Amino acid sequence: MLFNSIGYLIFLPLTVAAYYALPGKWRWILLLAASYLFYAMWKVEYVLLLMAATAVSYYAALGMEAHTVKKRKKPWLWAALTVNLGMLFIFKYLGFFTGLISGLSDLTGLPGQIPYYAILLPVGISFYTFQTLGYVIDVYRGVTKPEKHAGIFALYVTFFPQLVAGPIERARNLMPQFRQEHAFDPAAFASGLRLILWGLFKKIVIADRIAMLVQPVYGQPEYFHGIQIAIALPLLIIQVYADFSGYTDIAIGSARLMGFRLSRNFNRPFSARSVADFWNRWHITLTTWLRDYVYFSLPSRFRGKTAAWRLNLNLIITFTLVGFWHGAQWNFLIFGLIHGIYMALANISKPMMEKFNRFSGLAAAPALLKALNQASTFLLVSATGFFFGQHSFSSTLTLIGNITDFSNTGIALKQMLQNNDFTLSLILIVFMLRFEALASRPGWKEHFMQRPLPVRLAAYLAVLFFLLIFGIFTRQEFFYFQF
């Protein structure tokens, strides 16, 4: 079920109304049933996968609780890892590896051709797999106690606002909230509605409009050159941000209507002053998950230059996995690898850059240094847009080849400036970034809520007007559903 659909427009109010109408002790049953229904509206058969991941993780955690020695806990941990990662591998990565083996066989002339398996990817499998894995690893480490109530644990895995595209929640944050009785809070309810409205605006009005400009470039790269590709790269990153952060806002807002607090997943990433800072602000729950469960688990007990070399290698490994998490394609692997290399190079060059900033005088001009760092970070991230998306690797190579041809720059720029969608997209992007910058200031929200009611209503009605004009009931899927 899409958030931007008539179905969700009916489903959410009915669920929220029933939630507050029921006594507290029965609410978990309603939410669990609603969550399974929400997922089954996409493909009912794949609910069985969701149930399997839930059951294995639940019983593995209980099995670990019965032992105090880690050696005896490990079989339960490995069972949960094998089943959860096994399902993720079969449904998401099997086709990639069978294709890779067949390709190597063709190159070497050795026998090894195996059938290519194109299996429909279950929506949200990357998200709920990481959520269940985080839980069992935390239980193994002693960070979290196993949840005895099977229904509460199932709700933790399937909670509908964040089931199919995150945020990736930790058990210690979300699970206790299901045991609390949430009274109706008008302020939280209004805050949730505002988040939903803003999320829909970013998705439908901004992201879908930018997609009209970006998709032709990535779909038929042979027809585009130079400045057209150079502009499409940052537009893609901004489109993905408006789409995915819009989804997250709707998810957090939907949960807040019922008193639940989901984790923040974005924090103005285009204000980042380095690539590392960018990933501290972009898809925060994924990067912190990989930091805690992958990066910190890699070998790092070295001294001197070896330690620095190993930590940088660990960064590259971790961010290559970030890319591969997004999709079983060479494009995504290279996307993650480049970001890992960016951060490793930043670590290596940090002393040199600090000296340069002092000698050049930039250190004495913090505002200028901040602006330069933000601009360079945005350009570096935008450059990786060649590799981000479901387009083929051959299309990526075509884009890279064609971007060097600026022979028709004047004509291309004139065509773009005469395109109303391009102009409107630029205006909307500036509005989005400026609004989120204002909203991040301390006290801004309180100041807005103190404005006269007609002023606030006019702002809400303006957003609703744009949503209706641009089609609130469009069937355009959210970008991250493919992951």
Side-chain angles (χ1 to χ4, degrees):
M1 187 184 299
L2 297 176
F3 279 170
N4 55 326
S5 67
I6 296 175
Y8 193 72
L9 189 65
I10 298 169
F11 170 84
L12 181 62
L14 289 177
T15 303
V16 172
Y19 177 81
Y20 285 114
L22 284 173
K25 64 179 180 179
W26 302 116
R27 287 176 175 176
W28 71 267
I29 299 176
L30 167 75
L31 289 179
L32 184 59
S35 298
Y36 278 124
L37 174 63
F38 177 84
Y39 197 79
M41 292 295 289
W42 171 72
K43 195 168 183 63
V44 69
E45 302 95 303
Y46 280 4
V47 172
L48 297 175
L49 285 178
L50 195 55
M51 290 179 170
T54 302
V56 169
S57 303
Y58 173 74
Y59 286 109
L62 292 181
M64 284 187 278
E65 187 190 30
H67 303 285
T68 56
V69 181
K70 281 196 171 182
K71 185 178 179 181
R72 295 186 177 274
K73 292 181 179 182
K74 276 190 176 178
W76 292 102
L77 174 66
W78 281 109
L81 293 176
T82 301
V83 172
N84 282 288
L85 290 175
M87 289 193 298
L88 185 62
F89 176 83
I90 290 170
F91 284 93
K92 187 169 184 176
Y93 299 106
L94 182 60
F96 174 82
F97 283 104
T98 55
L100 179 62
I101 293 169
S102 295
L104 290 173
S105 299
D106 290 338
L107 286 174
T108 60
L110 297 174
Q113 288 289 337
I114 55 177
Y116 175 79
Y117 295 94
I119 306 172
L120 178 63
L121 180 67
V123 168
I125 190 170
S126 299
F127 291 91
Y128 68 72
T129 297
F130 271 32
Q131 193 152 306
T132 54
L133 288 178
Y135 167 75
V136 295
I137 294 171
D138 281 349
V139 171
Y140 172 76
R141 292 175 174 177
V143 175
T144 298
K145 290 196 173 293
E147 174 56 59
K148 304 292 179 61
H149 194 300
I152 294 293
F153 178 72
L155 181 55
Y156 159 72
V157 178
T158 63
F159 189 44
F160 73 85
Q162 47 85 224
L163 170 60
V164 295
I168 302 169
E169 288 292 343
R170 306 294 177 92
R172 58 184 176 272
N173 173 53
L174 185 56
M175 201 108 67
Q177 296 187 55
F178 294 131
R179 294 189 175 278
Q180 298 167 0
E181 186 167 341
H182 300 110
F184 180 77
D185 182 348
F189 193 87
S191 172
L193 288 177
R194 287 195 296 272
L195 272 172
I196 292 171
L197 196 61
W198 178 238
L200 286 170
F201 183 86
K202 283 198 286 187
K203 160 62 183 167
I204 295 169
V205 179
I206 302 178
D208 288 355
R209 182 127 317 252
I210 299 173
M212 295 168 60
L213 305 170
V214 170
Q215 287 175 356
V217 178
Y218 283 84
Q220 296 178 303
E222 61 274 14
Y223 297 112
F224 297 89
H225 302 82
I227 193 67
Q228 296 166 309
I229 298 172
I231 290 175
L233 292 173
L235 283 181
L236 173 71
I237 302 299
I238 296 170
Q239 177 213 338
V240 174
Y241 169 73
D243 189 286
F244 190 24
S245 69
Y247 177 95
T248 302
D249 288 341
I250 301 168
I252 295 173
S254 297
R256 195 171 293 179
L257 295 179
M258 298 174 284
F260 296 98
R261 294 278 173 172
L262 298 181
S263 300
R264 189 175 192 177
N265 217 17
F266 289 91
N267 182 18
R268 298 180 56 233
F270 300 128
S271 66
R273 304 183 195 184
S274 67
V275 175
D277 187 26
F278 175 84
W279 282 103
N280 285 331
R281 296 167 175 270
W282 178 287
H283 206 342
I284 298 167
T285 58
L286 172 65
T287 50
T288 55
W289 194 101
L290 287 164
R291 178 199 66 195
D292 294 344
Y293 301 114
V294 176
Y295 179 75
F296 288 149
S297 298
L298 294 170
S300 60
R301 294 179 182 177
F302 301 91
R303 294 181 180 179
K305 293 182 179 179
T306 305
W309 175 86
R310 184 69 210 199
L311 289 174
N312 286 325
L313 177 61
N314 290 351
L315 268 177
I316 292 172
I317 292 170
T318 302
F319 275 87
T320 301
L321 289 175
V322 169
F324 206 39
W325 177 90
H326 281 86
Q329 288 181 262
W330 288 110
N331 273 340
F332 288 119
L333 267 172
I334 296 170
F335 169 82
L337 176 64
I338 292 172
H339 276 271
I341 292 172
Y342 278 164
M343 283 187 274
L345 290 175
N347 287 340
I348 294 168
S349 63
K350 185 176 180 181
M352 182 179 65
M353 291 304 299
E354 288 175 349
K355 288 181 182 178
F356 174 80
N357 291 337
R358 285 197 303 270
F359 288 128
S360 65
L362 284 172
L368 176 60
L369 182 59
K370 175 184 174 182
L372 288 173
N373 286 338
Q374 288 177 337
S376 59
T377 299
F378 182 69
L379 289 174
L380 287 171
V381 172
S382 296
T384 62
F386 282 115
F387 304 97
F388 196 83
Q390 296 286 5
H391 55 282
S392 66
F393 190 64
S394 61
S395 294
T396 297
L397 295 177
T398 302
L399 286 169
I400 293 172
N402 286 359
I403 197 172
T404 59
D405 179 6
F406 285 88
S407 57
N408 293 318
T409 299
I411 296 173
L413 277 175
K414 183 178 179 181
Q415 290 173 341
M416 281 188 278
L417 292 173
Q418 290 175 342
N419 185 337
N420 291 334
D421 287 322
F422 179 75
T423 305
L424 180 58
S425 293
L426 293 183
I427 294 170
L428 289 168
I429 289 167
V430 172
F431 170 74
M432 175 182 69
L433 298 178
R434 181 58 181 162
F435 176 80
E436 293 192 336
L438 287 173
S440 68
R441 293 181 179 178
W444 186 88
K445 293 177 184 177
E446 291 75 12
H447 175 72
F448 174 77
M449 293 307 295
Q450 291 171 1
R451 303 287 290 176
L453 181 60
V455 174
R456 285 180 282 140
L457 284 177
Y460 300 144
L461 288 173
V463 174
L464 282 171
F465 172 77
F466 275 100
L467 288 174
L468 291 171
I469 291 296
F470 289 104
I472 193 169
F473 302 128
T474 56
R475 297 294 297 176
Q476 182 70 34
E477 288 191 350
F478 286 85
F479 191 89
Y480 265 63
F481 274 10
Q482 60 191 291
F483 307 136

